[in-house]
Amino acid sequence: LVHFRGLARVVKASPLLGAPLATFGPLALQQLRDEMVAKGWERKYVNAQVQRLRRIFAWGVSQEIVRLETYAALKLVDGLRRGRSVARENPKKRPVEQQHIDAVLPFLSSVVADMVRLQSVCGVRSDELTGLRACDIDRSGAVWVVVLERHKTAHLGKQKAICFGPKAQAIVASAATAITDAENWARVRPWATSLVPIKTNSVLTPLARMSVA
């Protein structure tokens, strides 16, 4: 959702704001994309933001406030390609070296340290780990299994499971006082910060200010 908020800021600052929706075509989209590039956004992120903007227009079509022809025209704009644009390229992300992880652990609370250790051996996402409860872990076999009800691709109908081998089991066992059947790590972590959900209106307001013609 934070990405939609950034997209909304670009739209609000663009000279295109206030133009009729019917006139927002491929050239306007490319102009808005150039403004994203000028902000220093990385090429892949710019492409992703353009796709998010298309999704907003698709929603507008479903609500009959945007013409289908407008959305169809926006789909004709190709994404930026490596080496063929002035957009910044990010270096390839590499895993954090274990020595750096080990250097940080002494400065973390016991709960956070256990979470970091578990991530390093399982590759689990942070949000999947913070919602973990003891009752979610199937310990009937040599490898413990957690079938996630909520995960990144759940909306696509995909299933995901986390497998805990001997190393992960030892970490979970040591954290038994932190995660119980009733609570999860997210409720006991002292460093938790509340996530303020973005309101739909904050994303759609810039488009709403563009007159429908």
Side-chain angles (χ1 to χ4, degrees), residues 173-198:
S174 68
T177 57
I179 53 173
T180 67
D181 288 347
E183 294 185 322
N184 55 38
W185 260 318
R187 296 185 61 183
V188 299
R189 52 181 177 160
W191 44 271
T193 56
S194 60
L195 297 178
V196 181
I198 183 173

Tab-separated table of all heavy atoms in Angstrom, residues 173-198:
chain	number	residue	atom	x	y	z
A	173	ALA	N	11.795	-24.091	20.108
A	173	ALA	CA	11.676	-24.630	21.457
A	173	ALA	C	12.201	-23.642	22.488
A	173	ALA	O	11.631	-23.483	23.568
A	173	ALA	CB	12.440	-25.947	21.557
A	174	SER	N	13.287	-22.927	22.150
A	174	SER	CA	13.849	-21.953	23.083
A	174	SER	C	12.965	-20.724	23.222
A	174	SER	O	13.061	-19.999	24.204
A	174	SER	CB	15.245	-21.528	22.623
A	174	SER	OG	15.156	-20.774	21.416
A	175	ALA	N	12.094	-20.509	22.242
A	175	ALA	CA	11.204	-19.346	22.264
A	175	ALA	C	9.808	-19.715	22.729
A	175	ALA	O	8.865	-18.955	22.534
A	175	ALA	CB	11.141	-18.718	20.873
A	176	ALA	N	9.681	-20.863	23.365
A	176	ALA	CA	8.353	-21.348	23.758
A	176	ALA	C	7.642	-20.390	24.698
A	176	ALA	O	6.411	-20.311	24.727
A	176	ALA	CB	8.470	-22.722	24.411
A	177	THR	N	8.415	-19.624	25.478
A	177	THR	CA	7.776	-18.679	26.394
A	177	THR	C	7.265	-17.441	25.674
A	177	THR	O	6.470	-16.683	26.212
A	177	THR	CB	8.777	-18.240	27.472
A	177	THR	OG1	9.933	-17.679	26.832
A	177	THR	CG2	9.218	-19.433	28.314
A	178	ALA	N	7.746	-17.241	24.442
A	178	ALA	CA	7.342	-16.043	23.684
A	178	ALA	C	6.129	-16.308	22.810
A	178	ALA	O	5.268	-15.454	22.662
A	178	ALA	CB	8.499	-15.549	22.832
A	179	ILE	N	6.060	-17.504	22.208
A	179	ILE	CA	4.918	-17.822	21.359
A	179	ILE	C	4.116	-18.948	22.010
A	179	ILE	O	4.623	-20.019	22.289
A	179	ILE	CB	5.359	-18.229	19.943
A	179	ILE	CG1	6.406	-19.352	19.964
A	179	ILE	CG2	5.901	-17.045	19.192
A	179	ILE	CD1	6.727	-19.895	18.593
A	180	THR	N	2.888	-18.680	22.281
A	180	THR	CA	1.999	-19.654	22.901
A	180	THR	C	0.850	-19.940	21.960
A	180	THR	O	0.766	-19.407	20.862
A	180	THR	CB	1.455	-19.117	24.235
A	180	THR	OG1	0.601	-17.993	23.960
A	180	THR	CG2	2.586	-18.674	25.146
A	181	ASP	N	-0.071	-20.800	22.403
A	181	ASP	CA	-1.231	-21.105	21.573
A	181	ASP	C	-2.117	-19.879	21.381
A	181	ASP	O	-2.853	-19.785	20.412
A	181	ASP	CB	-2.048	-22.237	22.208
A	181	ASP	CG	-1.352	-23.577	22.087
A	181	ASP	OD1	-0.382	-23.656	21.315
A	181	ASP	OD2	-1.758	-24.529	22.763
A	182	ALA	N	-2.066	-18.955	22.329
A	182	ALA	CA	-2.961	-17.802	22.276
A	182	ALA	C	-2.296	-16.569	21.691
A	182	ALA	O	-2.969	-15.674	21.195
A	182	ALA	CB	-3.488	-17.480	23.676
A	183	GLU	N	-0.949	-16.504	21.771
A	183	GLU	CA	-0.270	-15.318	21.319
A	183	GLU	C	0.741	-15.652	20.222
A	183	GLU	O	1.116	-16.806	20.038
A	183	GLU	CB	0.459	-14.628	22.480
A	183	GLU	CG	-0.475	-14.055	23.534
A	183	GLU	CD	0.307	-13.293	24.579
A	183	GLU	OE1	1.406	-13.745	24.939
A	183	GLU	OE2	-0.187	-12.245	25.030
A	184	ASN	N	1.174	-14.653	19.519
A	184	ASN	CA	2.209	-14.836	18.517
A	184	ASN	C	3.323	-13.824	18.760
A	184	ASN	O	3.239	-12.978	19.637
A	184	ASN	CB	1.650	-14.691	17.102
A	184	ASN	CG	0.935	-13.367	16.890
A	184	ASN	OD1	1.361	-12.331	17.393
A	184	ASN	ND2	-0.159	-13.392	16.138
A	185	TRP	N	4.379	-13.922	17.972
A	185	TRP	CA	5.520	-13.045	18.167
A	185	TRP	C	5.170	-11.577	17.990
A	185	TRP	O	5.759	-10.705	18.597
A	185	TRP	CB	6.638	-13.441	17.200
A	185	TRP	CG	7.696	-14.277	17.846
A	185	TRP	CD1	8.235	-14.096	19.074
A	185	TRP	CD2	8.338	-15.424	17.288
A	185	TRP	NE1	9.190	-15.059	19.326
A	185	TRP	CE2	9.270	-15.886	18.247
A	185	TRP	CE3	8.226	-16.105	16.082
A	185	TRP	CZ2	10.090	-16.976	18.023
A	185	TRP	CZ3	9.040	-17.196	15.862
A	185	TRP	CH2	9.951	-17.632	16.824
A	186	ALA	N	4.214	-11.304	17.138
A	186	ALA	CA	3.854	-9.918	16.868
A	186	ALA	C	3.290	-9.236	18.110
A	186	ALA	O	3.404	-8.030	18.273
A	186	ALA	CB	2.828	-9.853	15.734
A	187	ARG	N	2.701	-10.019	19.030
A	187	ARG	CA	2.077	-9.435	20.212
A	187	ARG	C	3.059	-9.260	21.366
A	187	ARG	O	2.822	-8.486	22.277
A	187	ARG	CB	0.911	-10.305	20.661
A	187	ARG	CG	-0.215	-10.385	19.655
A	187	ARG	CD	-1.395	-11.162	20.207
A	187	ARG	NE	-1.946	-10.539	21.404
A	187	ARG	CZ	-2.942	-11.047	22.113
A	187	ARG	NH1	-3.487	-12.199	21.755
A	187	ARG	NH2	-3.395	-10.442	23.186
A	188	VAL	N	4.170	-9.998	21.318
A	188	VAL	CA	5.107	-9.917	22.437
A	188	VAL	C	6.368	-9.133	22.099
A	188	VAL	O	7.138	-8.791	22.982
A	188	VAL	CB	5.522	-11.330	22.903
A	188	VAL	CG1	4.328	-12.112	23.364
A	188	VAL	CG2	6.242	-12.090	21.797
A	189	ARG	N	6.607	-8.843	20.824
A	189	ARG	CA	7.839	-8.146	20.457
A	189	ARG	C	7.785	-6.710	20.977
A	189	ARG	O	6.847	-5.978	20.695
A	189	ARG	CB	8.062	-8.159	18.947
A	189	ARG	CG	6.865	-7.673	18.144
A	189	ARG	CD	7.137	-7.735	16.663
A	189	ARG	NE	5.945	-7.320	15.941
A	189	ARG	CZ	5.950	-6.908	14.686
A	189	ARG	NH1	7.074	-6.849	14.029
A	189	ARG	NH2	4.844	-6.554	14.080
A	190	PRO	N	8.771	-6.284	21.747
A	190	PRO	CA	8.740	-4.947	22.342
A	190	PRO	C	8.979	-3.831	21.342
A	190	PRO	O	8.699	-2.674	21.635
A	190	PRO	CB	9.900	-5.023	23.351
A	190	PRO	CG	10.841	-6.026	22.778
A	190	PRO	CD	9.946	-7.067	22.127
A	191	TRP	N	9.484	-4.164	20.166
A	191	TRP	CA	9.830	-3.133	19.197
A	191	TRP	C	8.745	-2.953	18.149
A	191	TRP	O	8.945	-2.276	17.157
A	191	TRP	CB	11.133	-3.524	18.490
A	191	TRP	CG	11.160	-4.956	18.092
A	191	TRP	CD1	11.602	-6.015	18.828
A	191	TRP	CD2	10.691	-5.518	16.864
A	191	TRP	NE1	11.435	-7.191	18.141
A	191	TRP	CE2	10.891	-6.920	16.941
A	191	TRP	CE3	10.130	-4.981	15.709
A	191	TRP	CZ2	10.536	-7.785	15.906
A	191	TRP	CZ3	9.785	-5.839	14.683
A	191	TRP	CH2	9.986	-7.226	14.792
A	192	ALA	N	7.589	-3.581	18.348
A	192	ALA	CA	6.533	-3.542	17.336
A	192	ALA	C	6.049	-2.114	17.105
A	192	ALA	O	5.923	-1.324	18.030
A	192	ALA	CB	5.363	-4.417	17.772
A	193	THR	N	5.804	-1.798	15.874
A	193	THR	CA	5.237	-0.502	15.513
A	193	THR	C	3.927	-0.741	14.779
A	193	THR	O	3.805	-1.668	14.003
A	193	THR	CB	6.188	0.295	14.598
A	193	THR	OG1	6.494	-0.487	13.442
A	193	THR	CG2	7.475	0.627	15.335
A	194	SER	N	2.952	0.089	15.045
A	194	SER	CA	1.661	-0.085	14.397
A	194	SER	C	1.745	0.337	12.950
A	194	SER	O	2.376	1.342	12.620
A	194	SER	CB	0.591	0.743	15.121
A	194	SER	OG	0.942	2.110	15.085
A	195	LEU	N	1.112	-0.428	12.082
A	195	LEU	CA	1.065	-0.102	10.666
A	195	LEU	C	-0.219	0.668	10.399
A	195	LEU	O	-1.300	0.159	10.648
A	195	LEU	CB	1.115	-1.381	9.822
A	195	LEU	CG	2.399	-2.210	9.950
A	195	LEU	CD1	2.282	-3.470	9.107
A	195	LEU	CD2	3.595	-1.406	9.510
A	196	VAL	N	-0.079	1.872	9.919
A	196	VAL	CA	-1.258	2.689	9.633
A	196	VAL	C	-1.737	2.363	8.230
A	196	VAL	O	-1.046	2.625	7.253
A	196	VAL	CB	-0.912	4.187	9.727
A	196	VAL	CG1	-2.150	5.025	9.440
A	196	VAL	CG2	-0.341	4.495	11.099
A	197	PRO	N	-2.913	1.735	8.111
A	197	PRO	CA	-3.386	1.356	6.777
A	197	PRO	C	-3.682	2.584	5.932
A	197	PRO	O	-4.217	3.578	6.414
A	197	PRO	CB	-4.663	0.560	7.061
A	197	PRO	CG	-5.126	1.068	8.388
A	197	PRO	CD	-3.879	1.388	9.166
A	198	ILE	N	-3.305	2.499	4.687
A	198	ILE	CA	-3.575	3.604	3.776
A	198	ILE	C	-5.049	3.597	3.381
A	198	ILE	O	-5.641	2.549	3.157
A	198	ILE	CB	-2.686	3.492	2.516
A	198	ILE	CG1	-2.912	4.688	1.608
A	198	ILE	CG2	-2.942	2.223	1.755
A	198	ILE	CD1	-1.951	4.743	0.444
